Amino acid sequence: YGYALHLVCALVPALTLAGCGPENPLPVRPAIEWHQIPSTTGSLNVALIRPEEEGTGPHPVIFALPWGSGSAELVESFIYSYWLTEPAARGYYVVAPEVRGSTLIDTADDVIPAIFDWMESELTFDASQVALVGASNGGRGMFFAALSQPDRFQALVGLPAQYSGNPAELSALAGKPIWLLVGELDYGWVDGTEATVAALESVGISAYLDIMTAQDHVLSLSDVALLDWIDGALGR
């Protein structure tokens, strides 16, 4: 009965229904804000989710690189999949640029500092607690961003992610917790992820690897479990 009532309240919010009053408030989903910021390569569009109690900062940050082409629609779908409510409830900002992750191999030196300049001017965030996350193309971009600006990020999560560059360059990520997840059925990405773990190990870095049973490229994951790991990686 409780679930059915919640569903009806959600589907017909304009109606006043018994059980939909203040004693049974519907959860408020954080709003996705869009900001346009300047960079040396042109303006950037950046999506922002604010923490529920923003005035209590400084706040940790999830810096999220989207899948696919990195369009605004895909930025929002990435946020809706994993990063919409749990991070805000735990006091995080979520910052997600509209960028094709693979292009960061050439543009990270401009794009990442530009976003951090904007963050420093507009957000009350803790620069020592920034987790970098990426999926698919964003997972490739995650490594380009981290290697370009290693001091900006304290932990990395790939959903999935892989690196195909010079393994020696990965030594810049020493000391950072890294968690890579990939679907069991996502065969090419399984190979690439395992090769990335081997490349990290070749420079003395241990990464956590989870191959998700019966899953393919777009992973179905618990936002609570993701945030639990990120909290631990950032020492929260």
Side-chain angles (χ1 to χ4, degrees), residues 68-83:
S69 67
S71 66
E73 292 80 8
L74 292 176
V75 169
E76 293 191 355
S77 74
F78 188 40
I79 291 173
Y80 282 125
S81 294
Y82 311 116
W83 314 115

Side-chain angles (χ1 to χ4, degrees), residues 101-121:
S102 57
T103 66
L104 290 172
I105 190 172
D106 299 313
T107 63
D109 288 345
D110 298 313
V111 168
I112 303 304
I115 296 172
F116 273 88
D117 286 348
W118 169 76
M119 290 166 57
E120 288 163 0
S121 68

Side-chain angles (χ1 to χ4, degrees), residues 31-225:
I32 299 178
E33 302 175 12
W34 280 97
H35 298 264
Q36 190 173 75
I37 67 173
S39 79
T40 58
T41 57
S43 63
L44 293 166
N45 293 320
V46 178
L48 174 69
I49 301 286
R50 297 182 184 271
E52 288 182 0
E53 298 183 5
E54 188 174 8
T56 62
H59 295 276
V61 176
I62 291 173
F63 193 107
L65 297 174
W67 38 44
S69 67
S71 66
E73 292 80 8
L74 292 176
V75 169
E76 293 191 355
S77 74
F78 188 40
I79 291 173
Y80 282 125
S81 294
Y82 311 116
W83 314 115
L84 184 65
T85 57
E86 191 66 20
R90 299 195 191 197
Y92 283 81
Y93 286 107
V94 177
V95 175
E98 183 182 2
V99 63
R100 186 180 183 92
S102 57
T103 66
L104 290 172
I105 190 172
D106 299 313
T107 63
D109 288 345
D110 298 313
V111 168
I112 303 304
I115 296 172
F116 273 88
D117 286 348
W118 169 76
M119 290 166 57
E120 288 163 0
S121 68
E122 299 294 330
L123 310 180
T124 306
F125 77 100
D126 187 342
S128 70
Q129 292 196 331
V130 181
L132 178 60
V133 304
S136 191
N137 246 346
R140 292 188 174 101
M142 179 182 80
F143 282 104
F144 301 142
L147 292 174
S148 170
Q149 305 285 321
D151 294 338
R152 303 281 195 182
F153 307 106
Q154 287 71 53
L156 283 71
V157 181
L159 312 169
Q162 58 179 271
Y163 175 70
S164 57
N166 180 357
E169 295 178 356
L170 293 171
S171 61
L173 305 182
K176 301 180 191 298
I178 300 173
W179 186 21
L180 303 180
L181 301 93
V182 63
E184 177 187 33
L185 306 178
D186 194 6
Y187 303 113
W189 278 80
V190 170
D191 292 344
T193 304
E194 290 178 335
T196 299
V197 170
L200 288 162
E201 291 176 344
S202 74
V203 294
I205 298 173
S206 296
Y208 301 91
L209 171 62
D210 279 313
I211 299 176
M212 310 303 291
T213 303
Q215 294 207 43
D216 210 320
H217 192 59
V218 177
L219 297 172
S220 176
L221 300 167
S222 161
D223 56 355
V224 172

